[in-house]
Amino acid sequence: MTFEGKTVAITGAAAGIGQATTRLFATRGAHVIAIDRDAEALSRLDIKGITPLQGDVTDPNLPAALKARITALGGPLAVLVNNAGIGGGGRMDQTSDDDLRSFFEINVLGLFRLARFAVTEMQTAGGGSIVNVASIYAEVGAQNSAGYSTSKGAVAALTRQMATDYGHDGIRVNAVAPGLIETPLTEERIRTEKWRHKIFVEQCPLQRVGQPDDVARAIAFLASDEAAFISGEILRVDGGWAMGRFPREAQL
Amino acid sequence: MAQANTSIVTGAGAGIGRAIAQRLAQAGDNVLVVDLNTSRADETVALINEAGGRGQAAVLDITDAAALDALIAETRNLRCLVNNAGIFDVKSFDTLTAEDFRRMYEVNLVALFGLCQRAARVMGSGGAIVNIASRAMLGASQYIHYATSKAAVGGFTRSLALELAPKGITVNAVAPGVIETDMLRARSDTNLDALRAMQPGGTLGTPDDIAAAVQFLASPEAKFITGQILLVDGGRSLGGSLGI
Ligand SMILES: NC(=O)c1ccc[n+]([C@@H]2O[C@H](COP(=O)([O-])OP(=O)(O)OC[C@H]3O[C@@H](n4cnc5c(N)ncnc54)[C@H](O)[C@@H]3O)[C@@H](O)[C@H]2O)c1
Ligand SMILES: NC(=O)c1ccc[n+]([C@@H]2O[C@H](COP(=O)([O-])OP(=O)(O)OC[C@H]3O[C@@H](n4cnc5c(N)ncnc54)[C@H](O)[C@@H]3O)[C@@H](O)[C@H]2O)c1
């Protein structure tokens, strides 16, 4: 599975899943344009051959800035990984209009805008592949996650929508739905919240939380030619958690 | 040097199974090519060996319990089992018999269960089982016995994933859409262009498209993925495509 010489844009590249994905694509030969709003974290990234691009996915000018980097690298955009996103808890009655707006502003509109740009680029180039990072919360109900889950549900719907509309242009669009992954977003909560350990480790069939690399490998597979006939799919990377989380008899 | 991993691929004498066997062999596995048909199994083994891989034919019927016992008894270092052998036929609902159902389930489900059970007893942590379901599990007309047998493979896969997770064995399935095999090309009742027009990408799948997905799910790359049914159908199941 090589991306030798291919131009790949990854958002939220400075930490967690995005960072692991950036490293994996770079190892496999890609020219990665590593996008993140956190300039300082971006500058600390020690990955050979990447092109950092400081930018916020909520900025309408980000596509133009990305275009300039793609042109400078000389290649068409082969792959876009829409990974940047924010998390956060709260039931509906604890979620304000503004909370919901900020989930949608970043997790949906930011992704939508970049994907729209990528699709036009890929149409010109004769094809490409887009991988969105949804969440297992887009697939199953989860307590305390009204705004976040709704935004990730939109990402899942958009993934299928784009796959249907642009298949004829040779553009594949898929998503991964990670379970609980140990990243800067979650590591503190995994360590300190007892219930989280119980639900996501003890009740997870594979008995562990995921690592950023677990997700990165699935993203790379879906982005690659190995998945040439896969489009519109949402692949769960959750150790079987969502499937097996319902009360069940203790293991003998 | 560490002993090579062994993979068992059923129905590896033709189409999709052959492509899976070739890929796993290319990745360095010692591949047991299981098929009913001797000459087809030998042909797959020859293709593997010519390419520098290690393949070995195991000619047997997967519905034969004693043959499965013998197969597993002779197998060393089993890391991966791919249940690909399956049967298919077209029969309208009104003409279907209980016998048609039984025959379909005997191969597509009961035999698959038998082999999984035997394999799981000798597989260690890091083992992987990949079952071949079908997009037909979502519902298909003119072969309800086949479609439901494949839906059962889906439920089986998810349930077995739960049972084998404590042993560190992952269980996943690939559900192919329309794959252009020799058999499909030979069928007189299918118009390939009409099938292509129903695909968002305008093309049918190849056996190697399925093999690539199987290889990924069977590899350590997917070690945090279990109980999943991955549709490999070019987006066909998403809904309407204008067929531009
Ligand atoms: N960690 C999990 O358990 C988990 C589970 C399911 C889904 N996800 C999803 O995976 C993705 C990555 O999550 P993570 O855990 O690696 O997060 P993280 O917080 O560890 O890292 C996210 C990175 O994205 C950047 N970022 C955030 N908002 C941005 C914006 N508006 N513009 C540009 N960059 C921005 C951050 O600076 C950070 O570097 C998110 O979409 C998240 O919803 C995570
Ligand atoms: N071709 C498609 O479009 C398609 C679509 C969806 C699912 N599938 C599934 O993929 C799998 C492979 O399909 P294919 O098109 O390559 O099939 P195929 O008929 O070309 O090959 C199947 C092979 O399995 C062997 N086999 C059948 N019954 C057996 C038994 N009882 N014991 C041992 N070997 C046996 C046959 O001899 C043959 O070599 C099947 O499970 C099928 O249901 C195929």
PDB file of all heavy atoms in Angstrom, chain B residues 11 13-17 35-37 40 60-63 84-87 107 132-134 146 150 176-179 181 183, ligand 2:
ATOM      1  N   GLY B  11     -13.086 -22.595  -1.335  1.00  0.00           N
ATOM      2  CA  GLY B  11     -13.577 -22.197  -2.658  1.00  0.00           C
ATOM      3  C   GLY B  11     -12.506 -21.451  -3.434  1.00  0.00           C
ATOM      4  O   GLY B  11     -12.799 -20.571  -4.237  1.00  0.00           O
ATOM      5  N   GLY B  13     -10.605 -22.443  -5.715  1.00  0.00           N
ATOM      6  CA  GLY B  13     -10.332 -22.935  -7.067  1.00  0.00           C
ATOM      7  C   GLY B  13     -10.854 -22.023  -8.160  1.00  0.00           C
ATOM      8  O   GLY B  13     -10.611 -22.262  -9.346  1.00  0.00           O
ATOM      9  N   ALA B  14     -11.581 -20.992  -7.787  1.00  0.00           N
ATOM     10  CA  ALA B  14     -12.175 -20.145  -8.832  1.00  0.00           C
ATOM     11  C   ALA B  14     -12.340 -18.721  -8.330  1.00  0.00           C
ATOM     12  O   ALA B  14     -12.197 -18.438  -7.136  1.00  0.00           O
ATOM     13  CB  ALA B  14     -13.540 -20.706  -9.247  1.00  0.00           C
ATOM     14  N   GLY B  15     -12.643 -17.859  -9.264  1.00  0.00           N
ATOM     15  CA  GLY B  15     -13.098 -16.482  -9.024  1.00  0.00           C
ATOM     16  C   GLY B  15     -12.467 -15.764  -7.850  1.00  0.00           C
ATOM     17  O   GLY B  15     -11.250 -15.587  -7.752  1.00  0.00           O
ATOM     18  N   ILE B  16     -13.339 -15.368  -6.936  1.00  0.00           N
ATOM     19  CA  ILE B  16     -12.916 -14.545  -5.808  1.00  0.00           C
ATOM     20  C   ILE B  16     -11.950 -15.296  -4.895  1.00  0.00           C
ATOM     21  O   ILE B  16     -10.931 -14.762  -4.467  1.00  0.00           O
ATOM     22  CB  ILE B  16     -14.170 -14.083  -5.022  1.00  0.00           C
ATOM     23  CG1 ILE B  16     -15.026 -13.159  -5.895  1.00  0.00           C
ATOM     24  CG2 ILE B  16     -13.781 -13.411  -3.722  1.00  0.00           C
ATOM     25  CD1 ILE B  16     -16.395 -12.821  -5.317  1.00  0.00           C
ATOM     26  N   GLY B  17     -12.249 -16.564  -4.623  1.00  0.00           N
ATOM     27  CA  GLY B  17     -11.409 -17.353  -3.723  1.00  0.00           C
ATOM     28  C   GLY B  17      -9.988 -17.489  -4.253  1.00  0.00           C
ATOM     29  O   GLY B  17      -9.015 -17.430  -3.489  1.00  0.00           O
ATOM     30  N   ASP B  35     -10.933 -26.677  -2.201  1.00  0.00           N
ATOM     31  CA  ASP B  35     -12.007 -26.656  -3.208  1.00  0.00           C
ATOM     32  C   ASP B  35     -12.499 -28.074  -3.456  1.00  0.00           C
ATOM     33  O   ASP B  35     -11.774 -29.048  -3.248  1.00  0.00           O
ATOM     34  CB  ASP B  35     -11.519 -26.021  -4.523  1.00  0.00           C
ATOM     35  CG  ASP B  35     -12.670 -25.380  -5.307  1.00  0.00           C
ATOM     36  OD1 ASP B  35     -13.472 -26.133  -5.908  1.00  0.00           O
ATOM     37  OD2 ASP B  35     -12.777 -24.141  -5.306  1.00  0.00           O
ATOM     38  N   LEU B  36     -13.724 -28.151  -3.905  1.00  0.00           N
ATOM     39  CA  LEU B  36     -14.336 -29.421  -4.314  1.00  0.00           C
ATOM     40  C   LEU B  36     -13.666 -29.993  -5.548  1.00  0.00           C
ATOM     41  O   LEU B  36     -13.596 -31.201  -5.731  1.00  0.00           O
ATOM     42  CB  LEU B  36     -15.777 -29.133  -4.778  1.00  0.00           C
ATOM     43  CG  LEU B  36     -16.944 -29.239  -3.853  1.00  0.00           C
ATOM     44  CD1 LEU B  36     -18.202 -28.886  -4.634  1.00  0.00           C
ATOM     45  CD2 LEU B  36     -17.034 -30.677  -3.345  1.00  0.00           C
ATOM     46  N   ASN B  37     -13.240 -29.086  -6.392  1.00  0.00           N
ATOM     47  CA  ASN B  37     -12.824 -29.442  -7.730  1.00  0.00           C
ATOM     48  C   ASN B  37     -11.299 -29.536  -7.817  1.00  0.00           C
ATOM     49  O   ASN B  37     -10.580 -28.551  -7.634  1.00  0.00           O
ATOM     50  CB  ASN B  37     -13.359 -28.363  -8.676  1.00  0.00           C
ATOM     51  CG  ASN B  37     -13.063 -28.648 -10.123  1.00  0.00           C
ATOM     52  OD1 ASN B  37     -11.901 -28.750 -10.513  1.00  0.00           O
ATOM     53  ND2 ASN B  37     -14.110 -28.765 -10.918  1.00  0.00           N
ATOM     54  N   ARG B  40      -9.352 -27.421 -10.614  1.00  0.00           N
ATOM     55  CA  ARG B  40      -9.366 -25.972 -10.330  1.00  0.00           C
ATOM     56  C   ARG B  40      -8.451 -25.633  -9.148  1.00  0.00           C
ATOM     57  O   ARG B  40      -7.744 -24.626  -9.161  1.00  0.00           O
ATOM     58  CB  ARG B  40     -10.799 -25.510 -10.040  1.00  0.00           C
ATOM     59  CG  ARG B  40     -11.653 -25.410 -11.286  1.00  0.00           C
ATOM     60  CD  ARG B  40     -12.690 -24.309 -11.145  1.00  0.00           C
ATOM     61  NE  ARG B  40     -13.702 -24.654 -10.156  1.00  0.00           N
ATOM     62  CZ  ARG B  40     -14.969 -24.965 -10.454  1.00  0.00           C
ATOM     63  NH1 ARG B  40     -15.365 -24.957 -11.706  1.00  0.00           N
ATOM     64  NH2 ARG B  40     -15.833 -25.254  -9.516  1.00  0.00           N
ATOM     65  N   LEU B  60     -11.610 -31.073  -1.006  1.00  0.00           N
ATOM     66  CA  LEU B  60     -12.629 -31.608  -0.098  1.00  0.00           C
ATOM     67  C   LEU B  60     -13.912 -30.810  -0.235  1.00  0.00           C
ATOM     68  O   LEU B  60     -13.927 -29.705  -0.776  1.00  0.00           O
ATOM     69  CB  LEU B  60     -12.133 -31.566   1.352  1.00  0.00           C
ATOM     70  CG  LEU B  60     -11.725 -30.218   1.944  1.00  0.00           C
ATOM     71  CD1 LEU B  60     -12.914 -29.542   2.618  1.00  0.00           C
ATOM     72  CD2 LEU B  60     -10.621 -30.422   2.978  1.00  0.00           C
ATOM     73  N   ASP B  61     -14.955 -31.413   0.317  1.00  0.00           N
ATOM     74  CA  ASP B  61     -16.251 -30.741   0.357  1.00  0.00           C
ATOM     75  C   ASP B  61     -16.416 -30.168   1.760  1.00  0.00           C
ATOM     76  O   ASP B  61     -16.345 -30.913   2.753  1.00  0.00           O
ATOM     77  CB  ASP B  61     -17.346 -31.785   0.061  1.00  0.00           C
ATOM     78  CG  ASP B  61     -18.713 -31.147  -0.051  1.00  0.00           C
ATOM     79  OD1 ASP B  61     -18.965 -30.104   0.598  1.00  0.00           O
ATOM     80  OD2 ASP B  61     -19.552 -31.719  -0.782  1.00  0.00           O
ATOM     81  N   ILE B  62     -16.637 -28.880   1.860  1.00  0.00           N
ATOM     82  CA  ILE B  62     -16.704 -28.273   3.200  1.00  0.00           C
ATOM     83  C   ILE B  62     -17.930 -28.723   3.997  1.00  0.00           C
ATOM     84  O   ILE B  62     -18.009 -28.478   5.199  1.00  0.00           O
ATOM     85  CB  ILE B  62     -16.648 -26.720   3.167  1.00  0.00           C
ATOM     86  CG1 ILE B  62     -17.770 -26.143   2.302  1.00  0.00           C
ATOM     87  CG2 ILE B  62     -15.283 -26.228   2.699  1.00  0.00           C
ATOM     88  CD1 ILE B  62     -17.991 -24.651   2.520  1.00  0.00           C
ATOM     89  N   THR B  63     -18.858 -29.416   3.358  1.00  0.00           N
ATOM     90  CA  THR B  63     -19.999 -29.942   4.122  1.00  0.00           C
ATOM     91  C   THR B  63     -19.684 -31.313   4.736  1.00  0.00           C
ATOM     92  O   THR B  63     -20.511 -31.896   5.425  1.00  0.00           O
ATOM     93  CB  THR B  63     -21.256 -30.082   3.236  1.00  0.00           C
ATOM     94  OG1 THR B  63     -20.985 -31.028   2.203  1.00  0.00           O
ATOM     95  CG2 THR B  63     -21.650 -28.753   2.609  1.00  0.00           C
ATOM     96  N   ASN B  84     -14.861 -18.567   1.915  1.00  0.00           N
ATOM     97  CA  ASN B  84     -15.316 -17.973   0.657  1.00  0.00           C
ATOM     98  C   ASN B  84     -16.221 -18.915  -0.136  1.00  0.00           C
ATOM     99  O   ASN B  84     -17.071 -18.456  -0.891  1.00  0.00           O
ATOM    100  CB  ASN B  84     -14.081 -17.571  -0.170  1.00  0.00           C
ATOM    101  CG  ASN B  84     -14.414 -17.366  -1.638  1.00  0.00           C
ATOM    102  OD1 ASN B  84     -14.896 -16.314  -2.037  1.00  0.00           O
ATOM    103  ND2 ASN B  84     -14.189 -18.398  -2.459  1.00  0.00           N
ATOM    104  N   ALA B  85     -16.040 -20.225   0.027  1.00  0.00           N
ATOM    105  CA  ALA B  85     -16.834 -21.167  -0.780  1.00  0.00           C
ATOM    106  C   ALA B  85     -18.314 -20.908  -0.543  1.00  0.00           C
ATOM    107  O   ALA B  85     -18.760 -20.714   0.587  1.00  0.00           O
ATOM    108  CB  ALA B  85     -16.491 -22.600  -0.405  1.00  0.00           C
ATOM    109  N   GLY B  86     -19.055 -20.875  -1.605  1.00  0.00           N
ATOM    110  CA  GLY B  86     -20.484 -20.648  -1.467  1.00  0.00           C
ATOM    111  C   GLY B  86     -21.183 -21.054  -2.749  1.00  0.00           C
ATOM    112  O   GLY B  86     -20.540 -21.187  -3.794  1.00  0.00           O
ATOM    113  N   ILE B  87     -22.475 -21.302  -2.625  1.00  0.00           N
ATOM    114  CA  ILE B  87     -23.236 -21.628  -3.829  1.00  0.00           C
ATOM    115  C   ILE B  87     -24.333 -20.593  -4.037  1.00  0.00           C
ATOM    116  O   ILE B  87     -24.708 -19.870  -3.114  1.00  0.00           O
ATOM    117  CB  ILE B  87     -23.836 -23.062  -3.774  1.00  0.00           C
ATOM    118  CG1 ILE B  87     -24.681 -23.241  -2.509  1.00  0.00           C
ATOM    119  CG2 ILE B  87     -22.721 -24.098  -3.851  1.00  0.00           C
ATOM    120  CD1 ILE B  87     -25.436 -24.566  -2.459  1.00  0.00           C
ATOM    121  N   VAL B 107     -24.300 -25.368   2.738  1.00  0.00           N
ATOM    122  CA  VAL B 107     -22.988 -24.921   2.245  1.00  0.00           C
ATOM    123  C   VAL B 107     -22.650 -23.534   2.787  1.00  0.00           C
ATOM    124  O   VAL B 107     -21.574 -23.317   3.364  1.00  0.00           O
ATOM    125  CB  VAL B 107     -22.956 -24.883   0.694  1.00  0.00           C
ATOM    126  CG1 VAL B 107     -21.579 -24.402   0.206  1.00  0.00           C
ATOM    127  CG2 VAL B 107     -23.283 -26.248   0.110  1.00  0.00           C
ATOM    128  N   ILE B 132     -17.035 -14.468   3.611  1.00  0.00           N
ATOM    129  CA  ILE B 132     -17.560 -13.758   2.447  1.00  0.00           C
ATOM    130  C   ILE B 132     -19.081 -13.818   2.495  1.00  0.00           C
ATOM    131  O   ILE B 132     -19.681 -14.892   2.343  1.00  0.00           O
ATOM    132  CB  ILE B 132     -17.036 -14.354   1.120  1.00  0.00           C
ATOM    133  CG1 ILE B 132     -15.499 -14.377   1.104  1.00  0.00           C
ATOM    134  CG2 ILE B 132     -17.568 -13.542  -0.062  1.00  0.00           C
ATOM    135  CD1 ILE B 132     -14.815 -13.026   1.213  1.00  0.00           C
ATOM    136  N   ALA B 133     -19.669 -12.673   2.751  1.00  0.00           N
ATOM    137  CA  ALA B 133     -21.132 -12.575   2.735  1.00  0.00           C
ATOM    138  C   ALA B 133     -21.527 -12.151   1.323  1.00  0.00           C
ATOM    139  O   ALA B 133     -20.928 -12.613   0.340  1.00  0.00           O
ATOM    140  CB  ALA B 133     -21.592 -11.561   3.786  1.00  0.00           C
ATOM    141  N   SER B 134     -22.483 -11.279   1.206  1.00  0.00           N
ATOM    142  CA  SER B 134     -22.853 -10.747  -0.104  1.00  0.00           C
ATOM    143  C   SER B 134     -23.724  -9.532   0.099  1.00  0.00           C
ATOM    144  O   SER B 134     -24.461  -9.422   1.089  1.00  0.00           O
ATOM    145  CB  SER B 134     -23.638 -11.775  -0.913  1.00  0.00           C
ATOM    146  OG  SER B 134     -24.236 -11.142  -2.039  1.00  0.00           O
ATOM    147  N   TYR B 146     -30.595 -17.709  -1.150  1.00  0.00           N
ATOM    148  CA  TYR B 146     -29.205 -17.252  -1.135  1.00  0.00           C
ATOM    149  C   TYR B 146     -29.072 -15.996  -0.275  1.00  0.00           C
ATOM    150  O   TYR B 146     -28.206 -15.909   0.608  1.00  0.00           O
ATOM    151  CB  TYR B 146     -28.746 -16.971  -2.571  1.00  0.00           C
ATOM    152  CG  TYR B 146     -27.370 -16.351  -2.678  1.00  0.00           C
ATOM    153  CD1 TYR B 146     -26.225 -17.144  -2.568  1.00  0.00           C
ATOM    154  CD2 TYR B 146     -27.199 -14.981  -2.900  1.00  0.00           C
ATOM    155  CE1 TYR B 146     -24.955 -16.578  -2.671  1.00  0.00           C
ATOM    156  CE2 TYR B 146     -25.938 -14.414  -2.999  1.00  0.00           C
ATOM    157  CZ  TYR B 146     -24.818 -15.216  -2.891  1.00  0.00           C
ATOM    158  OH  TYR B 146     -23.565 -14.659  -2.997  1.00  0.00           O
ATOM    159  N   LYS B 150     -26.807 -15.452   3.224  1.00  0.00           N
ATOM    160  CA  LYS B 150     -25.717 -14.478   3.365  1.00  0.00           C
ATOM    161  C   LYS B 150     -26.005 -13.493   4.506  1.00  0.00           C
ATOM    162  O   LYS B 150     -25.091 -13.017   5.177  1.00  0.00           O
ATOM    163  CB  LYS B 150     -25.495 -13.750   2.040  1.00  0.00           C
ATOM    164  CG  LYS B 150     -24.902 -14.654   0.952  1.00  0.00           C
ATOM    165  CD  LYS B 150     -23.532 -15.199   1.362  1.00  0.00           C
ATOM    166  CE  LYS B 150     -22.839 -15.916   0.212  1.00  0.00           C
ATOM    167  NZ  LYS B 150     -21.474 -16.367   0.591  1.00  0.00           N
ATOM    168  N   PRO B 176     -19.432  -8.661  -0.968  1.00  0.00           N
ATOM    169  CA  PRO B 176     -19.175  -8.159  -2.323  1.00  0.00           C
ATOM    170  C   PRO B 176     -20.469  -7.730  -3.005  1.00  0.00           C
ATOM    171  O   PRO B 176     -21.527  -8.319  -2.798  1.00  0.00           O
ATOM    172  CB  PRO B 176     -18.590  -9.379  -3.058  1.00  0.00           C
ATOM    173  CG  PRO B 176     -18.242 -10.379  -2.008  1.00  0.00           C
ATOM    174  CD  PRO B 176     -19.183 -10.103  -0.866  1.00  0.00           C
ATOM    175  N   GLY B 177     -20.349  -6.710  -3.829  1.00  0.00           N
ATOM    176  CA  GLY B 177     -21.423  -6.360  -4.757  1.00  0.00           C
ATOM    177  C   GLY B 177     -21.263  -7.208  -6.006  1.00  0.00           C
ATOM    178  O   GLY B 177     -20.872  -8.370  -5.922  1.00  0.00           O
ATOM    179  N   VAL B 178     -21.556  -6.630  -7.150  1.00  0.00           N
ATOM    180  CA  VAL B 178     -21.444  -7.418  -8.385  1.00  0.00           C
ATOM    181  C   VAL B 178     -19.983  -7.481  -8.820  1.00  0.00           C
ATOM    182  O   VAL B 178     -19.353  -6.459  -9.098  1.00  0.00           O
ATOM    183  CB  VAL B 178     -22.289  -6.803  -9.513  1.00  0.00           C
ATOM    184  CG1 VAL B 178     -22.261  -7.721 -10.727  1.00  0.00           C
ATOM    185  CG2 VAL B 178     -23.721  -6.568  -9.051  1.00  0.00           C
ATOM    186  N   ILE B 179     -19.473  -8.705  -8.850  1.00  0.00           N
ATOM    187  CA  ILE B 179     -18.069  -8.913  -9.179  1.00  0.00           C
ATOM    188  C   ILE B 179     -17.978  -9.637 -10.514  1.00  0.00           C
ATOM    189  O   ILE B 179     -18.657 -10.648 -10.739  1.00  0.00           O
ATOM    190  CB  ILE B 179     -17.374  -9.760  -8.088  1.00  0.00           C
ATOM    191  CG1 ILE B 179     -17.583  -9.128  -6.697  1.00  0.00           C
ATOM    192  CG2 ILE B 179     -15.889  -9.933  -8.388  1.00  0.00           C
ATOM    193  CD1 ILE B 179     -17.103  -7.704  -6.548  1.00  0.00           C
ATOM    194  N   THR B 181     -16.783 -12.063 -12.456  1.00  0.00           N
ATOM    195  CA  THR B 181     -16.074 -13.336 -12.486  1.00  0.00           C
ATOM    196  C   THR B 181     -16.406 -14.034 -13.809  1.00  0.00           C
ATOM    197  O   THR B 181     -17.325 -13.629 -14.520  1.00  0.00           O
ATOM    198  CB  THR B 181     -16.536 -14.240 -11.322  1.00  0.00           C
ATOM    199  OG1 THR B 181     -17.959 -14.343 -11.375  1.00  0.00           O
ATOM    200  CG2 THR B 181     -16.138 -13.684  -9.980  1.00  0.00           C
ATOM    201  N   MET B 183     -17.863 -16.703 -14.127  1.00  0.00           N
ATOM    202  CA  MET B 183     -19.228 -17.198 -14.032  1.00  0.00           C
ATOM    203  C   MET B 183     -20.251 -16.135 -14.412  1.00  0.00           C
ATOM    204  O   MET B 183     -21.231 -16.401 -15.093  1.00  0.00           O
ATOM    205  CB  MET B 183     -19.496 -17.636 -12.601  1.00  0.00           C
ATOM    206  CG  MET B 183     -20.070 -19.007 -12.492  1.00  0.00           C
ATOM    207  SD  MET B 183     -19.992 -19.508 -10.789  1.00  0.00           S
ATOM    208  CE  MET B 183     -21.544 -19.049 -10.202  1.00  0.00           C
TER     209      MET B 183
HETATM  210  N1  LIG C   2     -19.334 -13.201  -7.930  1.00  0.00           N
HETATM  211  C1  LIG C   2     -20.100 -12.313  -7.308  1.00  0.00           C
HETATM  212  O1  LIG C   2     -20.568 -11.339  -7.909  1.00  0.00           O
HETATM  213  C2  LIG C   2     -20.390 -12.457  -5.831  1.00  0.00           C
HETATM  214  C3  LIG C   2     -21.155 -11.464  -5.218  1.00  0.00           C
HETATM  215  C4  LIG C   2     -21.418 -11.578  -3.860  1.00  0.00           C
HETATM  216  C5  LIG C   2     -20.924 -12.651  -3.126  1.00  0.00           C
HETATM  217  N2  LIG C   2     -20.208 -13.611  -3.746  1.00  0.00           N
HETATM  218  C6  LIG C   2     -19.708 -14.719  -2.910  1.00  0.00           C
HETATM  219  O2  LIG C   2     -18.319 -14.870  -3.072  1.00  0.00           O
HETATM  220  C7  LIG C   2     -17.936 -16.220  -2.906  1.00  0.00           C
HETATM  221  C8  LIG C   2     -17.148 -16.684  -4.107  1.00  0.00           C
HETATM  222  O3  LIG C   2     -17.901 -16.424  -5.265  1.00  0.00           O
HETATM  223  P1  LIG C   2     -17.387 -16.717  -6.743  1.00  0.00           P
HETATM  224  O4  LIG C   2     -18.197 -15.866  -7.634  1.00  0.00           O
HETATM  225  O5  LIG C   2     -15.916 -16.618  -6.778  1.00  0.00           O
HETATM  226  O6  LIG C   2     -17.889 -18.223  -6.876  1.00  0.00           O
HETATM  227  P2  LIG C   2     -17.478 -19.417  -7.891  1.00  0.00           P
HETATM  228  O7  LIG C   2     -18.689 -20.227  -8.037  1.00  0.00           O
HETATM  229  O8  LIG C   2     -16.810 -18.846  -9.094  1.00  0.00           O
HETATM  230  O9  LIG C   2     -16.395 -20.200  -7.041  1.00  0.00           O
HETATM  231  C9  LIG C   2     -16.759 -20.901  -5.885  1.00  0.00           C
HETATM  232  C10 LIG C   2     -15.749 -22.016  -5.654  1.00  0.00           C
HETATM  233  O10 LIG C   2     -16.158 -22.678  -4.463  1.00  0.00           O
HETATM  234  C11 LIG C   2     -16.104 -24.077  -4.677  1.00  0.00           C
HETATM  235  N3  LIG C   2     -17.095 -24.731  -3.832  1.00  0.00           N
HETATM  236  C12 LIG C   2     -18.443 -24.653  -3.919  1.00  0.00           C
HETATM  237  N4  LIG C   2     -19.014 -25.438  -2.995  1.00  0.00           N
HETATM  238  C13 LIG C   2     -18.021 -26.048  -2.305  1.00  0.00           C
HETATM  239  C14 LIG C   2     -17.980 -26.983  -1.238  1.00  0.00           C
HETATM  240  N5  LIG C   2     -19.103 -27.476  -0.716  1.00  0.00           N
HETATM  241  N6  LIG C   2     -16.775 -27.369  -0.767  1.00  0.00           N
HETATM  242  C15 LIG C   2     -15.640 -26.877  -1.303  1.00  0.00           C
HETATM  243  N7  LIG C   2     -15.616 -26.003  -2.320  1.00  0.00           N
HETATM  244  C16 LIG C   2     -16.792 -25.591  -2.823  1.00  0.00           C
HETATM  245  C17 LIG C   2     -16.407 -24.259  -6.146  1.00  0.00           C
HETATM  246  O11 LIG C   2     -15.887 -25.490  -6.628  1.00  0.00           O
HETATM  247  C18 LIG C   2     -15.736 -23.045  -6.778  1.00  0.00           C
HETATM  248  O12 LIG C   2     -14.412 -23.318  -7.181  1.00  0.00           O
HETATM  249  C19 LIG C   2     -19.224 -16.998  -2.680  1.00  0.00           C
HETATM  250  O13 LIG C   2     -19.436 -17.175  -1.304  1.00  0.00           O
HETATM  251  C20 LIG C   2     -20.273 -16.068  -3.264  1.00  0.00           C
HETATM  252  O14 LIG C   2     -21.541 -16.277  -2.685  1.00  0.00           O
HETATM  253  C21 LIG C   2     -19.938 -13.544  -5.079  1.00  0.00           C
END
